Amino acid sequence: MNASSPAAPNAAKTRMRWVHIGIGAFFRAHGAVYLQAADSAGQWHLQGVSLRSPDVRDALAAQGFNYTVAALSAQGIDTQTVSILDDVLVAPEDPEAVLKTLVDPAVKVVSLTVTEKGYCRAGNSRKLDLSNPDITHDLSAAHPRSMPGFLVRALQRRYEAGDAPFTVVSLDNLPSNGEVTRSVILDFAQYLDPNLANWISENGCFPNSMVDRIVPRLTPEHRSQVSAVTQRDEAGLVVCEPFGQWVVEDDFVGGLRPALERAGVQLTNDVEAFERMKLRMLNGTHSALAYLGVLAGFDTVFEASNDPTLADFLDRLWNEELIPTIAPPPPGMDLGAYASALLERYRNPGIAHQLQQIAMDGSQKLPQRILDPLFENHRAGRACDGLLRVLAGWMVFVRTQVEAGKTLSDPLQEVLAQAVRQSRTPKAMVDALLSIEAVFGAYPVETIRDDLTARVLQWAEWGD
């Protein structure tokens, strides 16, 4: 039975399961909303899995895993109740329960929001990082810790039982996220059993996807605003902007998926252009605002994007440096109009999106958001001054955080901090950071070293 088939007479017997790993605020405000809208026939269960913390499970359990999504804008607050989520499992508490869920033949799709670092890649490659402590553990343990470990151990059990694999859909901000997922999964499986890897390769599906909705961290102000509308103060509340987009390749095992198109999901045979557009034009300028905005003394995207100097910088970055790297544009998309719409979204007064939140995990985000378009422009002889300025801003941001005694929220925090502490001059710091193979190893950094150093020197705190 495929997603476009009419509902079976006995829906209770035909209900299928979708599992989501990484049940944080983004998925609850985005993916779960789409799935609920798509499942008008009531044929799908949604099961959440947390690989780290019980916080979401504990917040939602008392209210039957129902929660409110509040879309905030200048026009007010629009709320809806999401009730498609059945339960949340916490992997560290009971990894076997997670595996048993994933092994259930009724599970047809597993989706992911585990952030860039959750893929356990070697640097920015598509290869599995065998030195990652979680991967080292998972390759020899029955009960895994990592996302690749859980997926492959579950697929191994399904393979041994003669069942079909599930489709794996990444919703993380990675170029070709489905292909990245497929690669690390196959690498892991190959180390366990080459026959298992072949079976996954031949029978599994890993569609690429692009997701877009700004979901800021919940603040006391958000909670107070929503409570004034709903007349209750509930656990599990998530806030977001009204805009939402989901583009996904229509490539599912056995064609089994919800009727996503009914919820406005764009189904396509090629997500790449949409991915590149969003990663560079939205995520890239988000990172630009994060580093430059913090250095300018701002706290939120709203504040930073309303600053005339930064707004002018964004306009030039979009039109002179980012749009030229997105050719051809996605079908039906006017990139200039998309940039204008992004600025309006950033200036939504209801969204207090913290710049420090966006700045997290910068070493993982920079390659696809900033470095890829920077070096593409440099090779083509096109303008790249703005992207160089963003990269310099990241370096100065790292320095200011370290010198202020703050812990960097980054998987390479110790490496970054050591590079700063051991550098006596701006040039030495630039050289030390550029030597970090996991971030810059794939790029010809010698071609930009001098220009980058000059921009780092422009920040007043360096002195003469």
Side-chain angles (χ1 to χ4, degrees), residues 56-331:
V56 173
R57 188 270 316 276
D58 293 349
L60 296 179
Q63 53 201 49
F65 295 95
N66 298 337
Y67 61 93
T68 296
V69 175
L72 311 179
S73 70
Q75 287 70 47
I77 299 173
D78 184 21
T79 65
Q80 73 173 105
T81 299
V82 174
S83 56
I84 192 173
L85 182 64
D86 285 345
D87 191 13
V88 175
L89 298 175
V90 180
E93 293 179 357
D94 193 348
E96 181 61 24
V98 174
L99 288 172
K100 286 181 177 178
T101 292
L102 295 172
V103 170
D104 180 357
V107 172
K108 305 301 182 183
V109 184
V110 178
S111 55
L112 313 168
T113 48
V114 294
T115 75
E116 292 90 338
K117 60 189 173 186
Y119 290 77
C120 304
R121 298 182 296 162
N124 298 306
S125 74
R126 296 182 181 179
K127 304 300 292 181
L128 189 68
D129 181 6
L130 296 177
S131 67
N132 183 295
D134 286 343
I135 296 301
T136 302
H137 170 273
D138 291 355
L139 285 170
S140 60
H143 288 147
R145 298 171 181 165
S146 69
M147 175 274 288
F150 272 106
L151 293 189
V152 175
R153 290 296 183 180
L155 287 168
Q156 182 180 35
R157 294 190 189 187
R158 291 174 77 127
Y159 167 65
E160 292 169 351
D163 294 324
F166 41 70
T167 299
V168 182
V169 184
S170 169
L171 307 184
D172 283 300
N173 287 320
L174 292 170
S176 303
N177 53 14
E179 294 171 29
V180 171
T181 308
R182 183 179 189 273
S183 179
V184 296
I185 294 304
L186 290 179
D187 278 357
F188 193 109
Q190 185 70 32
Y191 281 98
L192 290 184
D193 178 357
N195 292 325
L196 170 64
N198 290 337
W199 176 79
I200 295 172
S201 178
E202 293 174 3
N203 298 282
C205 291
F206 299 84
N208 292 307
S209 75
M210 184 275 275
V211 293
D212 187 4
R213 172 166 260 185
I214 296 173
V215 181
R217 181 173 293 156
L218 187 69
T219 66
E221 291 76 16
H222 289 144
R223 189 175 292 283
S224 176
Q225 291 167 358
V226 177
S227 294
V229 173
T230 63
Q231 300 302 305
R232 62 181 183 272
D233 183 13
E234 67 168 84
L237 170 69
V238 287
V239 296
C240 60
E241 64 172 334
F243 178 88
Q245 186 179 20
W246 188 357
V247 184
V248 63
E249 290 174 348
D250 196 3
D251 181 24
F252 290 74
V253 174
L256 293 169
R257 59 166 176 81
L260 297 171
E261 62 275 19
R262 294 179 190 165
V265 177
Q266 296 168 260
L267 297 165
T268 180
N269 293 324
D270 184 8
V271 176
E272 182 179 358
F274 289 96
E275 285 179 338
R276 189 183 300 110
M277 176 189 74
K278 191 252 181 170
L279 277 166
R280 297 182 179 186
M281 293 186 68
L282 187 152
N283 299 120
T285 54
H286 253 176
S287 289
L289 283 176
Y291 302 121
L292 303 185
V294 167
L295 293 172
F298 298 113
D299 294 322
T300 68
V301 170
F302 172 75
E303 294 169 349
S305 63
N306 276 285
D307 175 75
T309 300
L310 284 175
D312 180 65
F313 176 80
L314 288 182
D315 182 70
R316 287 183 283 109
L317 193 63
W318 275 316
N319 289 291
E320 297 175 12
E321 300 186 33
L322 294 176
I323 288 177
T325 71
I326 305 167

